[in-house]
């Protein structure tokens, strides 16, 4: 059966082959073999590809199980790079003001070009990175601009900025005082001053000290980096801030490319000195002020630099071949240079030998000094302070206080009686009340100085005292009730060897002359035998000297005088520039008419105004002469304004009603307008004494006017005045009464300066009482150090004038300050500041090269020139109120403060910190700055000292 089966298989197979060959032919076998081969090959290929893909998936699963995941940023970065670059649209608007946006865009462009592009293009040509940085910077500036618009900048500029400057000056002054108290000769006094300064700073600030930032360049760079990163965190979107590469680039550009060079420039003493000279470039250097600076200089470098320049100029003048009139001019210049060299040599030798002598003590040994009479001392506030100090030392203060109190009583009594008479004419009766006030005041003076209970008591003739007591008990008091006793007290102070005669031999007298600026002028030196210039008579007899004889001036009342300023010009006379006003004068009478031109300076107007207001006191309240101006007083716009004001002054002066009210005024006016050189007509010393007395006289006149309102406040409650004005007048009246009728309360008390507080600390921010003006006045106290114990009189006169200013013009001045701040922060001024910044860093669009440090001799001469100009522009009125020596010391102290770059950096950083605190009030910048400055060495020492002082008390 198996055989049959196999035969059947082969049979059927053979049959199938035969039929296949018959049907397809003999070549069909080859086709069939080919088909089978293709099928097998295709199956092999499919199997290979499927195995490879499965193996890759398996390997990938193995890698993920044993290795960390790859970053998704790399594929995404590759994907972004494969895409086409999309154009980035940048909005060029930044602040909303086109005048600001344009220069700001240029600053951004220049910054990217000079700090990024020059190296970036060596790595890549792709612009997207640069555009992203530009977009981030613009976004930050937009946010900064929006914050600025929402911020009230008036408190910053009017209060905080001035307070920071005054506090910086206070720290510097106290550091100088500590070094002076040590008294030893240190190797490096500048370094010691810096260390002491930051030691005082931490005692005042208590929570922060900036010594590391100001003295260590490495710490300064780190501070600026941290600060810029904080600002970027506030101003940039979160996505851009998280981009570390871009953030670091922007941070370095801001900190090292912009802020650090700017701060270094603002802190450079030489740059500050040049800026000071540029600010007062219109003022010519005065030879007298220059020589004073040389004589007072304690810097050998300054003296040597001036000496070398003088020697160089001397050699040049000697090499000139001149003849004729030029010889005398050159000889004068040579003599002046020789004198400068001699003074420099003498000063250098004294400083090198260490035998520095106080100029006041040196002058006290001369023996021949200017003689200032007692009556002038008693009416000059500066001189009176020194005489008051001397009288306290000798125990004669009761006599001086009595004389001053009687003067105050007389002025007040006269004003009260005048008011009483005027009110009686109006039908109002207040006789008993006014007489009661005067009687109480007179009894107060008697009890305080002349009674048996008085301590100290004025020792005077008992008969006069008894007569006075009898008069007080039985008669109404009069303004002249104390005159006899006051005259005796004056003669006692004048004749008694313990008082005025000994005062002229005391060092306080020499210091008084220095404050009056009368120590250095040889024409003022007198002698004991009466030679030289001296004074006698009443306080006004030597002031109101007779003028030139004007008898030839016609007195016909029909004469009409008209005058106006027709032109203004600027003249230069021997290097001194001044303005000259051409006055066209018309004089008419019944028979003739004349016209002429005369030329006058502003100083001539000032002298003329001083003359007529002394002779006709009622004119002082009517005629107002335009004030002086320190800066840009030769500017054409200012001269035109002054011309207009002086014309108004002349028209008011020539008003017929004015002439009828004061007939004698016509002689003075004609003399002033006559076509001749104007003669000031007074001796120099008399003119000095005029200007010394006038500020006090004007303040007393204002005080008298304020006293007139006291009865009104008592009778009617000052219903016509505002509440604020009423409160000020009432307080002012009380102060006047206290100063007139009592011993000055602060004379016998020691004044304690708050050692460890800021300048504006006494001001209550919650009380809106002219805070900007008050801070400015506090800064004046700090500059001139008026809070010293021996500055009592000047301080109180200054306080009285401040109260008058605040009561009458406080709101006006305050508004002017606020308006000026608004002007400073206006778009025009901000745009101007940005343009100046752009032009300073990129002049003509090119990055400025680092300016080489100037030669030391040039820098020293710049210092001398800066100090000279500062002293030259100080107004005489300021010297007359607080004293010439005090003014000089205050100005030179401020100038010296700017001569230390580390201290200047501290001030710049304080301003920057306050700026950011004002701009971002909700970001806790004070705490941030405390942390950034926490590594201060001075701060650590202060905490250690504080801990060591507190530990014993805690143990107890």
């Amino acid at each position: 059966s198996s055989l049959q089966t196999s035969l059947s298989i082969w049979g059927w197979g053979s049959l199938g082959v035969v039929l296949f060959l018959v049907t397809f032919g003999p070549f069909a076998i080859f086709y069939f073999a080919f088909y089978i081969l293709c099928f097998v090959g295709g199956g092999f290929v499919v199997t290979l590809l499927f195995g490879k893909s499965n193996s890759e998936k398996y390997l990938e699963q193995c890698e993920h199980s044993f290795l960390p995941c790859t970053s998704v940023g790399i594929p995404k970065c590759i994907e972004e790079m494969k895409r086409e670059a999309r154009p980035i649209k940048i909005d060029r608007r930044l602040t909303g003001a086109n005048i600001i946006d344009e220069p700001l865009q240029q600053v951004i462009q220049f910054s990217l070009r000079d700090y990024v592009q020059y190296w970036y293009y060596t790595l890549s040509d792709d612009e997207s990175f640069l555009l992203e940085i530009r977009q981030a910077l613009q976004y930050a500036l937009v946010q900064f601009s929006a914050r600025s618009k929402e911020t009230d900048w008036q408190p910053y500029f009017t209060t905080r900025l001035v307070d920071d400057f005054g506090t910086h000056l206070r720290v510097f002054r106290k550091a100088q005082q500590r070094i002076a108290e040590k008294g030893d000769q240190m190797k490096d006094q500048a370094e010691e001053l810096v260390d002491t300064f930051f030691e005082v700073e931490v005692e005042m600030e208590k929570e922060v000290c900036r010594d590391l930032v100001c003295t260590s360049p490495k710490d300064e760079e780190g501070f600026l980096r941290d600060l810029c990163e904080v600002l970027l965190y506030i101003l940039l979107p979160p996505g851009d801030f998280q981009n570390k590469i871009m953030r670091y680039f922007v941070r370095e550009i801001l900190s090292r490319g912009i802020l650090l060079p700017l701060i270094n420039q603002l802190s450079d003493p030489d740059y500050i000195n040049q800026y000071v000279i540029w600010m007062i470039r219109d003022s010519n250097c005065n030879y007298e002020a220059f020589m004073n600076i040389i004589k007072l200089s304690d810097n050998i470098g300054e003296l040597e630099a001036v000496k070398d320049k003088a020697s160089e100029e001397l050699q040049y003048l000697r090499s000139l071949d001149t003849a004729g009139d030029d010889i005398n001019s050159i000889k004068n210049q040579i003599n002046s240079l020789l004198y400068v060299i001699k003074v420099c040599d003498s000063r250098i030798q004294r400083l090198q030998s260490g035998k520095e002598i106080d100029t006041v003590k040196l002058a006290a040994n001369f023996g021949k000094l200017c003689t200032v009479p007692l009556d002038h001392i008693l009416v000059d506030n500066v001189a009176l302070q020194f005489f008051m100090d001397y009288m306290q030392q000798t125990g004669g203060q009761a006599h001086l206080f009595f004389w001053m109190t009687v003067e105050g009583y007389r002025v007040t009594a006269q004003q009260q009686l005048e008011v009483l008479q005027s009110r009686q004419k109006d039908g109002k009766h207040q006789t008993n009340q006014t007489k009661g006030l005067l009687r109480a005041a007179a009894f107060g003076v008697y009890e305080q100085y002349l009674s048996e209970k008085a301590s100290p008591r004025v020792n005077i003739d008992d008969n006069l005292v008894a007569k006075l007591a009898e008069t007080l008990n039985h008669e109404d008091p009069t303004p002249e009730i104390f005159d006899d006793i006051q005259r005796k007290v004056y003669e006692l102070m004048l004749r008694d060897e313990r008082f005025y005669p000994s005062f002229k031999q005391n060092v306080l007298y020499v210091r008084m002359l220095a404050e009056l600026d009368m120590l250095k002028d040889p024409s003022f030196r007198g002698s004991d035998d009466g030679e030289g210039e001296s004074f006698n008579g009443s306080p006004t007899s030597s002031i109101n000297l007779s003028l030139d004889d004007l008898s030839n001036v016609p007195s016909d009342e029909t004469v009409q005088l008209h005058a106006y300023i027709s032109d203004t010009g600027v003249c230069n006379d021997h290097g001194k520039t001044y303005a000259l006003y051409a006055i066209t004068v018309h004089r008419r009478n019944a028979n003739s008419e004349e016209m002429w031109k005369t030329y006058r300076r502003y100083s001539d107007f000032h002298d003329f105004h001083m003359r007529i207001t002394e002779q006709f006191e009622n004119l002082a309240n009517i005629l107002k002469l335009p004030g002086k101006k320190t800066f840009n007083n030769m500017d054409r716009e200012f001269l035109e304004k002054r011309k207009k004001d002086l014309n108004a002054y002349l028209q008011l002066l020539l008003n017929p009603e004015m002439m009828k009210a004061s007939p004698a005024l016509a002689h003075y006016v004609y003399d002033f307008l006559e076509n001749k050189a104007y003669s000031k007509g007074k001796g120099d010393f008399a003119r000095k004494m005029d200007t010394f007395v006038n500020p006090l006289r004007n303040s007393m006149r204002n005080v008298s006017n304020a006293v007139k309102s006291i009865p009104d406040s008592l009778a009617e409650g000052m219903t016509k005045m505002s509440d604020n004005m009423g409160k000020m007048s009432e307080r002012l009246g009380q102060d006047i009464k206290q100063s007139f009728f009592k011993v000055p309360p602060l004379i016998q008390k020691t004044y304690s300066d708050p050692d460890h507080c800021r300048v504006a600390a006494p001001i209550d921010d919650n009380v809106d009482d002219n805070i900007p003006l008050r801070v400015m006045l506090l800064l004046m106290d700090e500059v001139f150090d008026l809070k010293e114990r021996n500055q009592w009189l000047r301080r109180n006169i200054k306080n009285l004038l401040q109260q008058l200013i605040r009561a009458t013009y406080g709101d006006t001045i305050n508004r002017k300050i606020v308006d000026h701040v608004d002007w400073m922060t206006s778009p025009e001024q901000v745009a101007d500041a940005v343009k100046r910044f752009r032009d300073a860093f990129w002049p003509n669009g090119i990055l400025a090269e680092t300016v080489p440090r100037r030669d030391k001799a040039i820098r020293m001469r710049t210092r001398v020139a800066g100090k000279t100009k500062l002293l030259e522009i100080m107004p005489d009125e300021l010297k007359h109120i607080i004293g010439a020596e005090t003014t000089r010391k205050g100005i030179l102290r401020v100038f010296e403060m700017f001569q230390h770059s580390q201290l200047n950096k501290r001030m710049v950083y304080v301003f920057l910190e306050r700026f950011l605190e004002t701009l971002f009030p909700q970001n806790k910048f004070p705490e941030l700055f405390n942390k950034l400055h926490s590594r201060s060495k001075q701060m650590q020492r202060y905490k250690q000292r504080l801990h060591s002082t507190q530990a014993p008390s805690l143990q107890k």
Side-chain angles (χ1 to χ4, degrees):
S1 59
S2 59
L3 179 62
Q4 291 177 352
T5 301
S6 60
L7 289 174
S8 61
I9 292 172
W10 282 102
W12 286 102
S14 301
L15 179 62
V17 171
V18 170
L19 291 174
F20 177 81
L21 293 174
V22 171
T23 303
F24 297 101
F27 293 98
I29 187 75
F30 297 104
Y31 291 114
F32 184 74
F34 177 74
Y35 292 153
I36 294 176
L37 181 64
C38 289
F39 177 79
V40 173
F44 178 78
V45 171
V46 170
T47 303
L48 181 64
L49 293 175
F50 178 77
K52 181 180 179 182
S53 62
N54 284 342
S55 63
E56 288 179 351
K57 291 181 179 180
Y58 177 77
L59 288 175
E60 186 177 355
Q61 292 177 357
C62 292
E63 290 177 357
H64 282 231
S65 61
F66 298 106
L67 298 175
C69 298
T70 58
S71 175
V72 296
I74 296 177
K76 186 174 289 188
C77 182
I78 295 174
E79 183 180 356
E80 290 289 338
M81 293 177 63
K82 290 180 179 179
R83 294 180 182 179
E84 294 184 1
R86 294 176 299 175
I88 301 178
K89 296 182 179 180
I90 296 180
D91 190 354
R92 299 182 65 85
R93 294 175 298 178
L94 299 174
T95 64
N98 187 47
I99 56 176
I100 302 178
D101 293 346
E102 183 179 352
L104 264 181
Q105 288 289 352
Q106 292 179 345
V107 170
I108 295 175
Q109 179 182 350
F110 294 156
S111 300
L112 293 176
R113 181 196 66 189
D114 295 325
Y115 295 110
V116 179
Q117 290 179 4
Y118 80 96
W119 59 263
Y120 177 75
Y121 282 140
T122 61
L123 303 177
S124 174
D125 295 333
D126 188 12
E127 297 281 348
S128 60
F129 176 71
L130 299 176
L131 294 177
E132 291 286 350
I133 292 182
R134 187 186 187 103
Q135 193 173 28
L137 286 175
Q138 293 196 173
Y139 184 87
L141 287 174
V142 170
Q143 296 299 316
F144 183 87
S145 173
R147 290 288 187 98
S148 300
K149 294 177 181 177
E150 298 172 358
T151 303
D152 182 11
W153 291 108
Q154 290 179 6
Y156 173 75
F157 285 104
T158 62
T159 304
R160 297 176 188 172
L161 201 67
V162 183
D163 177 37
D164 288 332
F165 180 80
T167 304
H168 185 84
L169 179 60
R170 175 175 291 183
V171 175
F172 179 76
R173 177 172 55 82
K174 292 187 179 299
Q176 282 187 322
Q177 291 175 355
R178 289 194 183 182
I179 292 179
E181 290 171 359
K182 294 179 181 179
D184 53 350
Q185 296 294 330
M186 290 163 289
K187 295 181 180 179
D188 191 348
Q189 192 169 2
E191 183 178 352
E192 180 69 17
L193 177 63
V194 172
D195 293 339
T196 307
F197 178 91
F198 288 109
E199 180 181 332
V200 177
E201 181 197 17
V202 73
E203 293 175 0
M204 184 171 294
E205 299 284 354
K206 296 200 172 46
E207 295 181 354
V208 66
C209 185
R210 303 168 182 83
D211 55 338
L212 282 182
V213 176
C214 300
T215 57
S216 171
K218 183 178 179 181
D219 290 302
E220 183 182 11
E221 292 179 4
F223 172 82
L224 289 177
R225 287 195 186 97
D226 294 339
L227 182 60
C228 290
E229 193 147 354
V230 171
L231 292 177
L232 292 177
Y233 173 78
I234 296 174
L235 298 175
L236 289 180
D240 291 340
F241 182 78
Q242 295 299 331
N243 188 343
K244 293 184 178 180
I245 297 177
M246 186 179 68
R247 185 172 85 229
Y248 291 159
F249 275 127
V250 176
R251 184 191 69 182
E252 292 300 313
I253 291 174
L254 290 177
S255 61
R256 293 179 58 86
I258 297 178
L259 286 181
L260 188 61
L262 180 62
I263 292 173
N264 289 334
Q265 184 178 19
L266 294 177
S267 305
D268 184 14
D270 188 49
Y271 172 79
I272 296 176
N273 296 338
Q274 294 180 64
Y275 188 75
V276 169
I277 296 174
W278 177 82
M279 282 284 291
I280 48 182
R281 58 191 179 277
D282 294 333
S283 173
N284 294 317
C285 287
N286 181 274
Y287 178 76
E288 183 180 5
F290 170 72
M291 293 308 303
N292 282 336
I293 292 298
I294 296 299
K295 294 175 183 177
L296 295 173
S297 175
D298 56 358
N299 189 307
I300 296 179
E302 291 179 0
L303 298 170
E304 290 180 343
V306 173
K307 175 187 172 183
D308 293 342
K309 189 64 178 178
S311 300
E312 178 183 339
E313 188 69 18
L314 185 64
Q315 292 179 359
Y316 169 75
L317 291 176
R318 285 176 171 172
S319 65
L320 294 177
D321 184 13
T322 58
D325 296 336
D326 293 338
I327 294 179
N328 294 328
S329 175
I330 291 179
K331 284 183 178 180
N332 292 333
Q333 295 181 43
I334 289 176
N335 292 332
S336 299
L337 291 172
L338 290 173
Y339 178 69
V340 170
I341 294 173
K342 180 181 178 181
V343 173
C344 290
D345 285 334
S346 175
R347 187 68 179 157
I348 291 172
Q349 293 176 4
R350 186 176 299 166
L351 291 174
Q352 289 177 342
S353 63
K355 297 179 180 180
E356 178 62 15
I357 301 176
D358 189 353
T359 55
V360 174
K361 294 180 180 178
L362 189 65
N365 297 325
F366 289 163
K368 293 185 178 182
L369 297 171
C370 173
T371 300
V372 182
L374 180 60
D375 46 18
H376 282 280
I377 292 175
L378 294 176
V379 297
D380 180 69
N381 62 296
V382 176
L384 181 59
Q385 174 62 54
F386 290 94
F387 187 60
M388 188 181 297
D389 292 343
Y390 176 78
M391 294 295 281
Q392 284 185 296
Q393 294 177 8
T394 58
Q397 67 270 24
H399 300 79
L400 179 58
F401 295 161
F402 172 78
W403 189 93
M404 294 169 59
T405 305
V406 171
E407 285 291 307
Y409 169 81
R410 181 186 299 110
V411 173
T412 305
Q414 289 174 352
Q415 298 291 344
Q416 295 279 2
L417 293 177
E418 289 177 5
V419 173
L420 178 61
Q421 293 174 1
S422 63
R423 297 182 70 85
Q424 286 177 345
K425 291 180 181 179
D426 297 336
K428 300 178 182 180
H429 300 283
Q430 276 189 325
T431 305
N432 295 333
Q433 186 177 9
T434 302
K435 291 183 178 180
L437 289 174
L438 292 180
R439 184 180 299 278
F443 268 105
V445 176
Y446 175 81
E447 291 291 335
Q448 191 166 2
Y449 295 104
L450 302 174
S451 67
E452 297 294 337
K453 299 178 182 179
S455 178
R457 184 174 184 269
V458 176
N459 295 320
I460 207 68
D461 189 356
D462 293 337
N463 294 329
L464 289 176
V465 176
K467 182 180 178 181
L468 173 64
E470 184 70 18
T471 304
L472 288 174
N473 290 326
H474 297 90
E475 299 179 11
D476 291 333
T478 62
E480 298 82 14
I481 192 171
F482 294 102
D483 283 4
D484 293 338
I485 299 180
Q486 186 191 28
R487 192 177 300 108
K488 288 290 184 181
V489 171
Y490 177 82
E491 292 178 358
L492 180 64
M493 291 190 296
L494 181 64
R495 308 297 179 189
D496 196 320
E497 287 294 331
R498 296 174 300 165
F499 303 141
Y500 177 67
S502 298
F503 173 63
K504 291 192 296 183
Q505 308 299 324
N506 192 277
V507 68
L508 286 174
Y509 183 78
V510 184
R511 293 187 182 279
M512 180 195 74
L513 295 179
E515 288 287 8
L516 297 178
D517 208 16
M518 295 158 58
L519 189 61
K520 61 182 179 296
D521 196 337
S523 62
F524 299 148
R525 303 194 183 281
S527 62
D528 296 334
D529 57 3
E531 294 178 358
E533 190 170 3
S534 62
F535 289 86
N536 296 298
S538 65
T540 57
S541 63
S542 60
I543 297 173
N544 298 327
L545 298 178
S546 61
L547 302 175
D548 296 335
D549 184 16
L550 302 176
S551 58
N552 57 344
V553 178
S555 58
D556 188 2
E557 294 182 356
T558 62
V559 174
Q560 296 180 0
L561 203 61
H562 301 279
Y564 64 95
I565 299 177
S566 55
D567 198 6
T568 305
V570 178
C571 299
N572 192 311
D573 185 13
H574 300 289
K576 187 173 183 179
T577 305
Y578 56 89
L580 202 62
Y581 301 91
I583 306 175
T584 302
V585 184
H586 294 267
R587 188 181 66 172
R588 300 175 184 172
N589 55 26
N591 302 320
S592 64
E593 179 178 353
E594 296 179 80
M595 185 184 73
W596 66 86
K597 280 192 176 184
T598 186
Y599 299 89
R600 296 289 181 259
R601 298 174 55 179
Y602 176 83
S603 59
D604 299 331
F605 277 91
H606 184 272
D607 184 87
F608 170 71
H609 180 76
M610 186 173 64
R611 283 189 184 184
I612 62 175
T613 52
E614 287 173 3
Q615 296 293 331
F616 311 94
E617 293 189 356
N618 60 320
L619 296 181
N621 297 323
I622 303 174
L623 292 173
K624 302 297 181 183
L625 187 69
K628 293 183 179 180
K629 183 181 179 183
T630 302
F631 301 103
N632 298 326
N633 53 7
M634 294 295 124
D635 183 67
R636 189 67 192 173
E637 182 178 353
F638 169 74
L639 292 179
E640 288 298 322
K641 182 179 181 301
R642 175 171 280 180
K643 171 187 171 183
K644 180 180 178 182
D645 294 338
L646 290 176
N647 260 325
Y649 176 86
L650 279 176
Q651 301 315 311
L652 182 59
L653 180 67
L654 296 174
N655 189 297
E657 298 297 327
M658 182 84 70
M659 293 295 182
K660 290 181 181 179
S662 303
L665 178 64
H667 297 283
Y668 296 87
V669 174
Y670 186 85
D671 178 72
F672 178 74
L673 297 177
E674 195 174 1
N675 187 15
K676 65 177 183 179
Y678 179 64
S679 174
K680 293 183 170 60
K682 293 188 178 183
D684 291 337
F685 187 84
R687 290 177 55 76
K688 281 181 177 288
M689 292 306 298
D690 274 355
T691 52
F692 290 151
V693 174
N694 278 339
L696 186 60
R697 177 184 293 133
N698 293 333
S699 64
M700 289 299 296
R701 186 180 294 118
N702 292 332
V703 169
S704 300
N705 293 333
V707 174
K708 287 182 179 180
S709 64
I710 294 176
D712 293 335
S713 64
L714 294 174
E716 301 176 0
M718 306 183 76
T719 56
K720 295 182 180 179
M721 296 185 180
S722 64
D723 294 337
N724 293 333
M725 193 66 183
K727 293 178 181 179
M728 177 57 67
S729 299
E730 182 179 356
R731 184 164 65 249
L732 183 58
Q734 294 174 357
D735 294 341
I736 294 167
K737 287 182 179 179
Q738 289 180 0
S739 62
F740 282 167
F741 302 143
K742 297 182 181 179
V743 177
L746 296 180
I747 290 182
Q748 297 178 352
K749 297 180 181 179
T750 58
Y751 182 83
S752 58
D753 187 22
D755 290 334
H756 307 301
C757 67
R758 300 178 64 83
V759 170
I763 293 182
D764 185 4
D765 293 337
N766 297 323
V767 180
D768 187 13
D769 185 16
N770 298 333
I771 289 180
L773 175 61
R774 293 172 65 188
V775 176
M776 295 291 181
L777 297 176
L778 287 174
L779 177 62
M780 176 182 173
D781 287 348
E782 198 60 40
V783 170
F784 300 108
D785 200 12
L786 296 181
K787 293 185 178 180
E788 286 186 2
R789 181 175 55 85
N790 62 347
Q791 296 275 17
W792 175 86
L793 184 62
R794 274 172 277 183
R795 185 171 63 252
N796 280 274
I797 290 177
K798 180 267 306 177
N799 290 338
L800 182 60
L801 294 177
Q802 285 181 1
Q803 290 186 26
L804 290 171
I805 291 173
R806 288 169 54 192
T808 54
Y809 303 107
D811 292 337
T812 302
I813 297 175
N814 196 66
R815 187 165 54 253
K816 289 288 185 182
I817 295 174
V818 172
D819 291 343
H820 186 69
V821 172
D822 292 339
W823 174 79
M824 288 173 55
T825 55
S826 63
E828 293 78 11
Q829 293 303 309
V830 174
D832 188 59
V834 175
K835 290 178 182 178
R836 288 199 300 268
F837 174 82
R838 177 200 62 192
D839 296 338
F841 275 78
W842 292 278
N844 299 322
I846 302 174
L847 182 64
E849 299 180 358
T850 303
V851 179
R853 189 172 177 81
R854 300 201 306 167
D855 183 71
K856 180 181 178 181
I858 299 177
R859 287 186 280 115
M860 291 295 104
R861 288 195 290 270
T862 305
R863 286 183 56 170
V864 174
K867 287 191 285 187
T868 303
K869 280 186 168 289
L870 280 177
L871 286 185
E872 175 66 19
I873 66 169
M874 282 302 104
D876 292 336
E877 290 78 7
L878 183 64
K879 299 177 184 178
H880 303 152
I881 293 176
I882 65 176
E885 188 68 16
T886 300
T887 304
R888 188 181 300 116
K889 287 182 179 179
I891 296 301
L892 293 181
R893 182 188 297 115
V894 174
F895 185 86
E896 181 62 27
M897 180 184 70
F898 287 114
Q899 304 311 307
H900 304 273
S901 59
Q902 299 96 329
L903 308 189
N904 295 337
K905 279 191 176 182
R906 187 262 177 192
M907 186 164 58
V908 173
Y909 279 116
V910 168
F911 290 164
L912 177 62
E913 291 172 11
R914 296 292 180 270
F915 176 83
L916 295 177
E917 291 173 11
T918 305
L919 188 63
F920 306 102
Q922 299 177 352
N923 292 98
K924 298 181 179 180
F925 265 97
E927 292 83 352
L928 172 65
F929 289 129
N930 290 346
K931 291 181 180 178
L932 292 179
H933 295 300
S934 59
R935 295 189 301 107
S936 165
K937 297 179 181 178
Q938 291 287 356
M939 194 71 196
Q940 296 173 3
R941 295 173 192 168
Y942 174 74
K943 291 181 178 179
Q944 292 175 358
R945 291 197 303 268
L946 192 63
H947 179 73
S948 61
T949 54
Q950 292 178 349
S953 60
L954 292 175
Q955 293 176 359
K956 291 181 181 180

